[in-house]
Amino acid sequence: MTATQRTGATDLPYTPEVAQAAALTYERLRHVIPAIEWPVHAPLIVAINELKRRRNAIILAHNYQTPEIFHGVADLSGDSLALARQAVETDAEVIVLCGVHFMAETAKLLNPEKTILIPDLEAGCSLAASITAEDVRLLRERYPSVPVVTYVNTSAAVKAESDICCTSANAVEVVESLGSERVIFLPDEFLARHIASQTEVDVIIWKGHCEVHERFTSDDLSGYRQQFSDIQILAHPECPPDVLAEADFVGSTSAMIGHVEKNRPQRVVLITECSMSDNVAVEFPEIEFIRPCNLCPHMKRITLPKILRSLQTLEHQVEIDLQVAEPARRALERMLAVG
Ligand code: 13P
Ligand code: SF4
């Protein structure tokens, strides 16, 4: 594509000025974004960054967002816990949440007075879809007085029925903070089993699964070990137990990044969503990332054209019913108080 051709997607031209404004960004991304794609991304990146400033908006991006979003337009990024914390700390009037719907709801619950935008309302999550508020009420009837710990990958309505939330970064700490011999842990079966293996607390389990992580198998992991004897295998705790048993390290998306940063393995495989490896590889060009690709279709609904449109129209604004918001916020705030 020549310098003045139009990109098609949004009709924004790739001019020499745009090329220059985005040159430094591309220098960082050239190992993960082919040159032929850059004239499509660059005008959008420049337009989004300009509009963001005019709107006093910031972009929070989850670690699974594509590199052109993660490194091109995000102001802050991280795992679910980091995004929740950053949402509380910002002074911006508008937050565009580049992630899935429960993450945008979390940002809204913690910032009721701010405008929280999600570029695509359909960006869901198979875990969040696996349980309803009514399911939680029935569990409470079945296990009276057992506290309910809810993974943040749930709707606000489910959080509202819970005692406390957690993320994969603080789940064991949260479970143990309750001082109870037994807890109900919702909705991720594999994360619950992982927690149960790390604590004396008896964990009552629900059978929700992440459609991305449940597809990894222990045979995939032993295959990597056979192929590369020096490989470090890092896995997300939403993977099945036999996969976690084969891994060298288990942690949240940010914990995996921290592990890579601290240990600088020569070769690594991240058993999680595709874009993670691209995003981390940008920071550590000397490390070889073996890239299995299980893609989260919900995360991938967020694109640069939709982010630009969201900033232009201030859509889609996340709103939460007041009756649900208050107890859901309490469950989140209890989590943030734990650590
Ligand atoms: P993290 O909190 O580890 O980023 O995980 C969120 C998620 O959706 C993983 O699938
Ligand atoms: Fe939900 Fe899994 Fe996608 Fe994370 S990767 S948002 S848990 S479906």
Side-chain angles (χ1 to χ4, degrees):
M1 188 176 290
T2 62
T4 51
Q5 262 180 299
R6 296 199 166 258
T7 61
T10 54
D11 218 24
L12 291 174
Y14 184 56
T15 61
E17 292 73 30
V18 165
Q20 198 185 2
L24 281 178
T25 307
Y26 190 60
E27 194 44 39
R28 299 187 71 214
L29 294 178
R30 68 193 165 85
H31 297 298
V32 292
I33 297 184
I36 196 166
E37 288 180 17
W38 192 241
V40 178
H41 297 315
L44 290 159
I45 289 173
V46 172
I48 289 168
N49 286 331
E50 268 175 32
L51 190 51
K52 215 169 58 177
R53 279 188 285 276
R54 289 215 303 274
R55 288 255 193 240
N56 188 17
I58 62 160
I59 294 183
L60 295 192
H62 184 260
N63 291 328
Y64 294 162
Q65 291 295 293
T66 50
E68 67 276 11
I69 295 174
F70 192 86
H71 293 285
V73 298
D75 299 284
L76 298 164
S77 57
D79 62 8
S80 311
L81 183 60
L83 295 181
R85 288 197 185 289
Q86 288 161 353
V88 185
E89 285 159 15
T90 178
D91 292 332
E93 287 163 42
V94 177
I95 298 175
V96 185
L97 201 302
C98 294
V100 291
H101 193 260
F102 75 80
M103 295 176 178
E105 274 193 338
T106 300
K108 183 67 185 178
L109 288 167
L110 296 172
N111 290 279
E113 75 297 346
K114 290 199 168 129
T115 301
I116 310 295
L117 302 174
I118 182 157
D120 188 326
L121 270 177
E122 302 294 313
C125 167
S126 66
L127 279 169
S130 73
I131 189 155
T132 65
E134 178 61 11
D135 292 329
V136 187
R137 286 193 286 270
L138 289 171
L139 279 165
R140 280 204 187 271
E141 274 173 31
R142 188 157 165 207
Y143 301 102
S145 76
V146 178
V148 175
V149 181
T150 293
Y151 195 28
V152 284
N153 296 40
T154 44
S155 65
V158 165
K159 289 184 177 76
E161 299 292 334
S162 313
D163 293 285
I164 190 165
C165 292
C166 74
T167 73
S168 57
N170 61 13
V172 175
E173 233 182 317
V174 166
V175 163
E176 293 187 341
S177 76
L178 298 173
S180 172
E181 283 176 11
R182 236 179 161 196
V183 301
I184 299 170
F185 187 91
L186 307 171
D188 186 351
E189 176 189 355
F190 299 146
L191 177 60
R193 291 194 189 285
H194 180 63
I195 295 162
S197 74
Q198 316 261 303
T199 179
E200 299 289 306
V201 179
D202 182 24
V203 182
I204 298 167
I205 288 169
W206 184 257
K207 297 249 176 180
H209 295 151
C210 162
E211 68 188 85
V212 177
H213 291 91
E214 72 176 350
R215 297 210 307 272
F216 290 105
T217 67
S218 54
D219 284 350
D220 296 338
L221 274 62
S222 35
Y224 295 126
R225 284 215 200 276
Q226 271 164 19
Q227 215 181 334
F228 310 102
S229 56
D230 61 345
I231 199 161
Q232 277 269 311
I233 302 183
L234 281 51
H236 194 278
E238 289 170 10
C239 294
D242 58 332
V243 170
L244 300 185
E246 274 285 335
D248 298 304
F249 177 82
V250 176
S252 77
T253 54
S254 290
M256 281 191 243
I257 298 172
H259 185 87
V260 170
E261 190 171 17
K262 189 166 162 221
N263 297 285
R264 307 283 168 130
Q266 276 191 336
R267 195 177 269 145
V268 71
V269 58
L270 306 180
I271 304 298
T272 190
E273 209 269 347
C274 305
S275 292
M276 265 281 286
S277 298
D278 288 342
N279 290 333
V280 189
V282 170
E283 307 290 353
F284 304 101
E286 73 288 1
I287 297 176
E288 185 188 347
F289 287 81
I290 307 303
R291 301 176 196 217
C293 201
N294 281 357
L295 192 135
C296 174
H298 312 290
M299 288 279 177
K300 265 48 207 182
R301 281 183 171 275
I302 310 299
T303 60
L304 288 174
K306 288 184 194 170
I307 297 170
L308 180 59
R309 200 179 139 66
S310 184
L311 278 164
Q312 285 166 335
T313 59
L314 291 182
E315 283 177 351
H316 306 275
Q317 297 194 18
V318 178
E319 298 297 345
I320 301 162
D321 185 77
L322 272 183
Q323 271 182 317
V324 165
E326 208 175 300
R329 184 177 312 117
R330 258 201 311 273
L332 279 169
E333 283 174 350
R334 277 188 85 182
M335 168 186 84
L336 292 175
V338 171

